[in-house]
Structure formats: structure tokens, C-alpha cells
Amino acid sequence: MPRAVKGSLIQCDPSIKALILKIDSDYRDIVFEELDDTHLLVDASKIPFIKSELNRILAKNTYNPLDDDDANAK
Amino acid sequence: MSDSLTEPGELFRTTINEYLENLPEAVHTQLYQSPETCLAIFRLLPSLAKFYIMTLLFQDSPVRSSDLSRWIKQPLSAGGNPDVISHRNPNRMYQSESIHRLKALNLLKENKKQITNPTTGRSIQVIAIHLNKSFRDSFRRAIAGTKSLEDTDVDMDSTNTPTPVLEEPHHTGGGLSNLFEDDEKITIPSLDKYCLTKWESILHFMVGSDTRETPSFDVLRLLRFSHLMELPSDRQKREDLDADYDPDFETGRVSYDSLKKMLITQNGFQFLLQPINSQIWAFLLQYLKISETRHMNPVEVLNFIFMLGSLELGEGYPISTLSQTQILMLKDLADYGLIYDPGNKQNKERKYYPTRLATSLTSESTSFNTPAAVMNKEIDNGTSESSLIIETNFKLYCYTTSPLQIAILNLFVHLKARFQNMVTGAITRESVRSALLNGITADQIINYLQSHAHAGMVKMAEEKLAKSMEYETSIGNTAALARLKLEVLPPTVVDQIKLWQLELDRIQAFKGYLYTEFANDMEFERL
């Protein structure tokens, strides 16, 4: 029997998709299904959470010269 | 926003023109009863339309439509044949656009006439054009400056309101000086200070800096209604995929306290960047729209606004000449800083004083009209000649003294130090991100930086452009030559701002349902 699942379709780059899958393995219950290289079906209510986690992880990679300046000045 | 406009000063002209054109004809006829309105509308028209109106003004008989084309000079087409007018002729497009605008405002009326040629006996149809009668009469009165005795217009009845004439500065209505015996001295500088503080408090509130007095409840409601600012709950609804964004402004009374917490929107930031004239007009347009929901007659509102534009600065006008609707407007206009209403006398003697903001409402160009020029030096914080320098390491230096300018910069720049006539800071990822999250687009930031760039930066960019143009022409590379354009800001900064914007859009989400585990193709087809 066909099944219908209510969720949200997410379109993104493969790299972001890999990051989301990693988030899913840490927290469970987020991704319902992987559709292909660039699309995922996820739980609609978790989307803000995904966005904030993504932001957090990506921010770890950025270099902020100002922080260095402020730290050195103090 | 619209791409066809090059300067933000044009923005208010087209929006108010659209609003006027969308009004029904009956409203137009009512509007044209008042000479001030006719004068103000005349000033909003493009030059060719003005020319047409002036020529048709004193002609009582209708004019053939073909004559309209003959009055303007047609340029020679490419083939050198003066009789051939190509379709792509820009003059022709300008002409047809002017005529179209005049017709939309119901200023030009056509009627078809049959003319029989006496010699051949054939009759041809000719389209004759004449000016809208009520407009013509009011406009004649406006220009000639006389009041006719049959004038039934309420505003013109008393001798207290001056007739608007084209030479404004030295004209005072008869008998006004006797009225001017107030206890408190309403001087022009005090009016200026008043309108400045009011208007700036609104702008400061939009930008989010602390002001001593937040604008009144009605002003905040208007800001929300015009999408210049939004409540945090509005923003959430807008970004939330599940709910359909449908702001209900009438149902659900919002309290003053919650309105105080509003955040600026993308439209709001665009609004902040405009010159003050267009800001006021945009505000008034929103006010017009909201007044329709409050059952106020839009004609009266428009009349009052246009009349304000032709009043004399520093003179008080009694309230007794205003209609009911216009009295209601007084309080709102005082909140925006357009008029000053002492309001402490009894009803009959109450007067209102238009401020400089009001008198410059319908002035054509702010450079010729001296009161407006003085005002602009004081008030024109939005687009003053403040100078901004950006280095390739993202550090920013801005020579300005106005707190409003600094507050706007604070929206997307991480300010570090403030000196007597300068502020320094840097454009950081965090600062740009917070601006982007507020709805400001990267393009708006870049446009703002470009328009306020220091003259030295512009000169440097022009020299660089000249050099590269010389180089490209010397090696004969026409393709690259065509692509060259003036880059005032360092490309690193521009690109980085755009990249930061892209960073926020890494995933796109869509609502949907997934159907899986189909038994075979048949079921898939059926679904």
C-alpha cells in the first residue's frame, strides 16, 4: 500500500546535505528520507532547528579578524 | 523595488501619480475644485505635459489632436527624412506617455467631431482635445491669483487663507498680521526645531536607537500598516512556512507596548535611504490609504495636504476654515511634524502653524526654493553629503555629525569609535548578518555605501576607470571596454557582502507530502 508522509522538502548542496545527515545521526528524528544528492525529506517542525545547527557548525569555520584585534587590544 | 527609476527622488512622484491615476473620475472632478490641488498636481507632471496644459489653458475651443504633435519638434530620423517618424523615437514615446498620463488624470478630454471638407464633400472624423473644465477654471485662478465671488470652496471663503500664487515668498493674505498676536512666540526657528525633533524621533524609532519620546500610537500603527516596520510576530508568520502571511490590522487590537517593539523591514530600510521629501510623501500616501478605512473623505485629505504645501511658513491659520475631516487630520499631521498645533485655546481661536516640512511638500526642486534649501541643510540627514570611506580591509570611516546617520550605519556596521566629526568601524560578518536577518538586502547596503561615498573615493575610481579605458582602447579590446564601469567601492567588499547574503540561503525548504511504497506503476499513475 502506498504511504503518505507529511513533511518538508529541503533542497541544498551535497555538502550541506552531508552536514544535515550528520546532525540527524546526532539528534535522531529529523530526516525522514533521502531523496537524492540534493533533496531530503525532513520533519517540518525541525526546520528552524536544522538552520540554527547549520549556522553554528558553519560559523566554527569562519575566521574573524576583528575578534583577534579585540583580543589583542585587551 | 522598481528598477526603472534611477534616483530615489523620483520614487515619490511616481507613487503619488499612481495613486492619483487610480482614483475614479468623480473624485478627480472634486479634487480639481481647489486651486491648490491643481497647482500641486501640475507640478508633479512631466515637462511636456506641463507644456500641453499651459498651451491649452487659455484656449476655449478644442484643439485637434494632430496639432499636439505639431507643437513639438520632431527629431530627424536616421534616414534624414523629416517626415518619417519611427516608432522607436524616444520623443514620441515621451509624448505618448505624457498624453497618457494626462488622460489618466482626466485632465484631457476627447470628443470626436465630424468635419466635412467643403470642397470634396467628404467627412472625416477628427479627435479634438480640450482641458477638463473644472481643472481649467481652478488652475486659471491659481495662476492669476484672484478669488472669484462665486467661489463656494470652503477653504477660500474667509480672508484668512491666502490665495496660492506662483510667486510665494512675499505674499501674505490680507488681515493675517492682526491674527498673529499669540502669547507664545511661534517663531520660525522654533517651528523648525519642532518639526525636526518630531520627524527625527520617527526615523530614530525606525532605526532602533533610543529616543526620548517614541512616536504616538497612530504613527506606530501607520508604520506597521505600511510594512515599513513589523512586529516580531509578523516576522515570524512571514518566515514560517506553515501559516499564510495575512496581517490582520483591524481585528485584534495591538497594544501600544507591543508596537514599541517593532523591527525594521526591508521596505523600511529602503525608506530610510530616500531624501526627506520622498519620505514625507510616502508617509502621506500611506496615511491616505489608511484614512479610507477610517471613513475619511480622501478628497478632503488630499485637498488639505496640497493646501498645506502652499501655505506660508511661520503664519498661523485658524481652524475655523477647515472641514470636519481636516480637523481630524490635524492631530495626525502634528505627530509627523508637519504642523504645530498649540491647542490650548478655545475651539474658535485655535490655530495651526505649518512647518517647513509642510511648505516644502509641493515645491518642485529643493535647490531653487530657498526655505527648502535651508531646511535641507538642517534636516536632510538621509542623503546629506556625508562622506564614507571604505578600505579593502573592511574598515570604514564616516565623516558625519548627525546621530541619525550614525544610527543607520549601526544597522550593518560594527562601529568602534566616535569622534567629534567622524565615526570609525568595520564591516564584519556579524554586523552584515544581523542586517541581513533584519531583511535588509546586500544590494541596499551596497547602494547606500555607494551613494554616500567620499568625493575622494569617487575621484580615485574615475581615474582608475579612465586609465583602464585608455589601456583597453590602445590594445583594441572593445569587448572589455564595453564592460568597464565605475567601481567606487572596492570589489572585495562588494563581493564579500553578497557572499554573506548567499550564506544565509543555503537550504531551501518546501512544504509537501511524500508518497512512497507504491505497489506498482499503475497506482503511481492513478495518483
Side-chain angles (χ1 to χ4, degrees):
Chain A
M1 269 303 295
R3 222 167 30 106
V5 181
K6 180 167 166 199
S8 268
L9 177 72
I10 291 209
Q11 180 182 347
C12 52
D13 308 332
S15 52
I16 302 291
K17 173 174 172 262
L19 275 173
I20 298 183
L21 288 176
K22 177 171 181 306
I23 297 175
D24 182 46
S25 66
D26 286 339
Y27 289 93
R28 311 285 144 185
D29 239 8
I30 300 190
V31 176
F32 288 152
E33 182 127 353
E34 290 174 38
L35 300 169
D36 64 12
D37 269 350
T38 50
H39 295 84
L40 291 171
L41 185 76
V42 306
D43 190 357
S45 53
K46 299 278 187 343
I47 289 190
F49 174 71
I50 294 179
K51 286 191 178 168
S52 59
E53 274 299 299
L54 266 180
N55 277 334
R56 196 178 60 82
I57 296 179
L58 290 170
K60 280 199 288 193
N61 289 340
T62 59
Y63 169 67
N64 202 343
L66 271 187
D67 290 340
D68 273 355
D69 273 344
D70 283 343
N72 285 340
K74 293 182 186 140
Chain B
M1 303 303 269
S2 61
D3 304 310
S4 57
L5 305 165
T6 43
E7 6 161 325
E10 295 280 318
L11 192 62
F12 87 92
R13 274 172 202 236
T14 49
T15 40
I16 189 154
N17 282 338
E18 276 167 25
Y19 179 78
L20 286 171
E21 284 170 21
N22 286 336
L23 293 173
E25 180 170 347
V27 179
H28 278 158
T29 334
Q30 258 188 305
L31 269 178
Y32 296 147
Q33 307 283 357
S34 138
E36 300 94 357
T37 321
C38 296
L39 194 60
I41 293 186
F42 176 74
R43 283 179 174 152
L44 291 173
L45 293 171
S47 330
L48 189 59
K50 284 185 195 161
F51 170 71
Y52 277 144
I53 293 201
M54 293 306 275
T55 25
L56 289 173
L57 186 61
F58 288 101
Q59 290 197 356
D60 288 322
S61 59
V63 164
R64 294 223 288 233
S65 60
S66 49
D67 285 349
L68 288 178
S69 318
R70 274 203 269 141
W71 286 340
I72 58 181
K73 186 171 157 197
Q74 304 288 355
L76 296 176
S77 66
N81 188 349
D83 294 319
V84 173
I85 300 173
S86 60
H87 286 291
R88 297 229 161 246
N89 187 351
N91 265 17
R92 190 142 182 90
M93 280 170 35
Y94 182 44
Q95 177 197 2
S96 50
E97 193 211 303
S98 310
I99 297 186
H100 173 76
R101 172 85 54 84
L102 287 174
K103 285 202 187 135
L105 288 171
N106 286 120
L107 287 173
L108 287 186
K109 293 273 170 62
E110 296 184 338
N111 37 8
K112 297 188 166 56
K113 288 200 307 202
Q114 290 257 1
I115 296 188
T116 38
N117 194 333
T119 45
T120 60
R122 272 187 305 155
S123 61
I124 46 171
Q125 277 223 337
V126 161
I127 302 180
I129 303 228
H130 62 97
L131 209 51
N132 182 327
K133 189 164 186 322
S134 49
F135 181 82
R136 184 167 39 158
D137 293 336
S138 314
F139 200 57
R140 281 187 195 172
R141 260 189 283 139
I143 296 186
T146 53
K147 289 181 290 189
S148 66
L149 291 170
E150 305 92 20
D151 207 331
T152 51
D153 204 2
V154 171
D155 289 338
M156 306 290 284
D157 253 344
S158 63
T159 53
N160 295 329
T161 48
T163 51
V165 284
L166 284 180
E167 323 87 39
E168 284 166 32
H170 301 293
H171 177 84
T172 46
L176 256 185
S177 34
N178 322 352
L179 294 174
F180 201 57
E181 30 186 33
D182 270 322
D183 304 332
E184 57 241 21
K185 291 266 173 194
I186 311 286
T187 57
I188 295 189
S190 72
L191 277 179
D192 278 344
K193 201 162 80 108
Y194 173 76
C195 72
L196 254 178
T197 40
K198 275 286 174 175
W199 189 247
E200 283 213 340
S201 73
I202 297 184
L203 291 180
H204 270 291
F205 176 73
M206 285 183 72
V207 165
S209 52
D210 290 318
T211 55
R212 262 158 287 149
E213 32 169 287
T214 38
S216 75
F217 182 56
D218 287 320
V219 176
L220 295 185
R221 266 217 319 209
L222 186 69
L223 281 174
R224 182 171 179 234
F225 178 75
S226 53
H227 294 292
L228 292 177
M229 302 192 68
E230 54 187 2
L231 287 173
S233 52
D234 288 340
R235 168 161 301 175
Q236 206 161 31
K237 277 196 219 148
R238 185 161 57 84
E239 290 169 358
D240 196 1
L241 287 176
D242 281 334
D244 289 312
Y245 178 52
D246 185 21
D248 41 315
F249 295 110
E250 299 305 315
T251 66
R253 321 230 62 215
V254 194
S255 72
Y256 188 39
D257 282 329
S258 49
L259 279 180
K260 278 201 247 192
K261 300 198 189 83
M262 287 202 284
L263 307 162
I264 195 168
T265 66
Q266 202 176 352
N267 289 349
F269 191 64
Q270 186 96 337
F271 175 81
L272 279 176
L273 302 184
Q274 289 170 0
I276 190 160
N277 229 344
S278 22
Q279 279 177 338
I280 301 187
W281 269 114
F283 232 61
L284 285 176
L285 268 175
Q286 294 299 331
Y287 179 72
L288 266 170
K289 291 194 187 130
I290 207 175
S291 69
E292 281 169 24
T293 61
R294 284 157 78 182
H295 304 294
M296 288 161 67
N297 189 354
V299 173
E300 305 252 331
V301 176
L302 268 176
N303 270 343
F304 191 43
I305 294 177
F306 286 133
M307 189 181 72
L308 268 184
S310 47
L311 293 179
E312 184 83 10
L313 176 64
E315 302 280 351
Y317 301 101
I319 294 192
S320 46
T321 55
L322 303 177
S323 74
Q324 231 6 61
T325 323
Q326 291 167 342
I327 294 184
L328 280 173
M329 280 173 68
L330 277 180
K331 173 182 174 303
D332 297 321
L333 291 180
D335 281 334
Y336 308 147
L338 282 171
I339 62 177
Y340 172 64
D341 184 9
N344 53 0
K345 300 223 172 104
Q346 285 153 341
N347 277 340
K348 289 226 185 73
E349 295 171 13
R350 258 172 79 185
K351 299 197 196 76
Y352 63 96
Y353 300 85
T355 64
R356 224 187 268 282
L357 281 179
T359 49
S360 65
L361 265 181
T362 52
S363 67
E364 268 237 337
S365 66
T366 48
S367 52
F368 292 132
N369 207 350
T370 36
V374 169
M375 170 195 85
N376 273 339
K377 291 217 177 37
E378 299 256 335
I379 295 181
D380 199 0
N381 299 317
T383 57
S384 61
E385 298 307 316
S386 80
S387 339
L388 235 162
I389 301 182
I390 295 219
E391 295 182 329
T392 50
N393 59 359
F394 295 88
K395 289 214 183 131
L396 184 135
Y397 310 92
C398 183
Y399 291 91
T400 180
T401 47
S402 93
L404 190 61
Q405 187 90 356
I406 296 175
I408 294 184
L409 278 179
N410 201 23
L411 282 174
F412 57 88
V413 174
H414 178 72
L415 292 176
K416 285 239 173 89
R418 183 177 172 177
F419 301 96
Q420 194 185 20
N421 61 344
M422 188 175 99
V423 283
T424 59
I427 301 190
T428 66
R429 181 171 183 269
E430 291 312 319
S431 64
V432 172
R433 257 179 157 238
S434 57
L436 292 170
L437 286 172
N438 266 336
I440 304 170
T441 65
D443 286 325
Q444 283 171 334
I445 297 180
I446 293 171
N447 276 338
Y448 183 81
L449 291 173
Q450 266 178 338
S451 55
H452 290 252
H454 193 279
M457 274 184 75
V458 179
K459 209 168 77 151
M460 231 173 54
E462 282 172 359
E463 283 170 11
K464 190 158 148 246
L465 181 69
K467 260 195 260 171
S468 33
M469 268 176 57
E470 226 184 277
Y471 176 65
E472 299 289 350
T473 42
S474 70
I475 61 174
N477 190 350
T478 44
L481 191 63
R483 281 201 306 261
L484 281 180
K485 49 190 176 94
L486 188 62
E487 293 175 354
V488 181
L489 304 175
T492 43
V493 179
V494 175
D495 289 341
Q496 185 60 277
I497 298 182
K498 292 193 185 155
L499 281 174
W500 278 328
Q501 177 170 286
L502 285 178
E503 253 185 13
L504 286 181
D505 295 334
R506 304 215 70 159
I507 65 176
Q508 269 187 309
F510 307 92
K511 261 200 312 191
Y513 296 86
L514 176 70
Y515 296 95
T516 63
E517 293 175 21
F518 292 99
N520 49 31
D521 282 339
M522 274 295 294
E523 296 199 16
F524 183 72
E525 293 293 316
R526 274 200 298 169
L527 206 57

